[in-house]
């Protein structure tokens, strides 16, 4: 199955609400790790967003899935970008 990168961009205005709902967000992500959807996930060091590598059939399916993230449902994301990724080097190469 193809790999996709989910890129979240955060807003300074939602910091407090993200802090409040972070446990729910991470629990949701944990379920995706456990079922094999998420390959890797984590926030940017500068706290402006996050990068999540996933396995999905297509971008539409990935967008539909990530609309269920508590951060997305609560409108705590500035933007979400999902793009198919084709690594050519390293352990994730196809």
């Amino acid at each position: 199955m193809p790999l996709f990168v989910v890129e979240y961009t955060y807003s300074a205005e939602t910091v407090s609400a993200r802090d409040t709902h972070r446990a729910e967000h991470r629990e949701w992500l944990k379920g995706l790790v456990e079922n094999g959807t998420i390959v890797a996930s984590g926030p940017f060091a500068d706290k402006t967003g996050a990068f999540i590598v996933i396995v999905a059939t297509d971008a539409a399916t990935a967008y539909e899935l990530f609309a269920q993230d508590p951060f997305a449902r609560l409108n705590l994301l500035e933007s979400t970008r999902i793009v198919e990724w084709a690594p050519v080097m390293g352990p994730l190469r196809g």
Side-chain angles (χ1 to χ4, degrees):
M1 237 193 263
L3 290 175
F4 289 83
V5 172
V6 179
E7 182 180 11
Y8 283 170
T9 302
Y10 299 147
S11 163
E13 290 78 27
T14 62
V15 170
S16 178
R18 279 186 283 113
D19 288 346
T20 299
H21 297 283
R22 188 171 324 289
E24 181 184 1
H25 162 73
R26 287 196 174 162
E27 190 64 26
W28 182 81
L29 291 173
K30 180 181 172 190
L32 295 179
V33 169
E34 290 171 352
N35 76 18
T37 299
I38 290 180
V39 176
S41 175
F44 298 139
D46 67 2
K47 301 180 183 182
T48 61
F51 206 66
I52 308 162
V53 178
I54 67 167
V55 175
T57 54
D58 54 46
T61 301
Y63 272 108
E64 190 174 297
L65 176 62
F66 276 80
Q68 298 172 37
D69 182 344
F71 278 5
R73 287 188 293 103
L74 296 166
N75 296 313
L76 302 179
L77 302 171
E78 181 77 15
S79 66
T80 301
R81 177 176 179 242
I82 299 177
V83 62
E84 189 170 351
W85 184 46
V88 295
M89 293 184 189
L92 299 178
R93 71 185 178 278

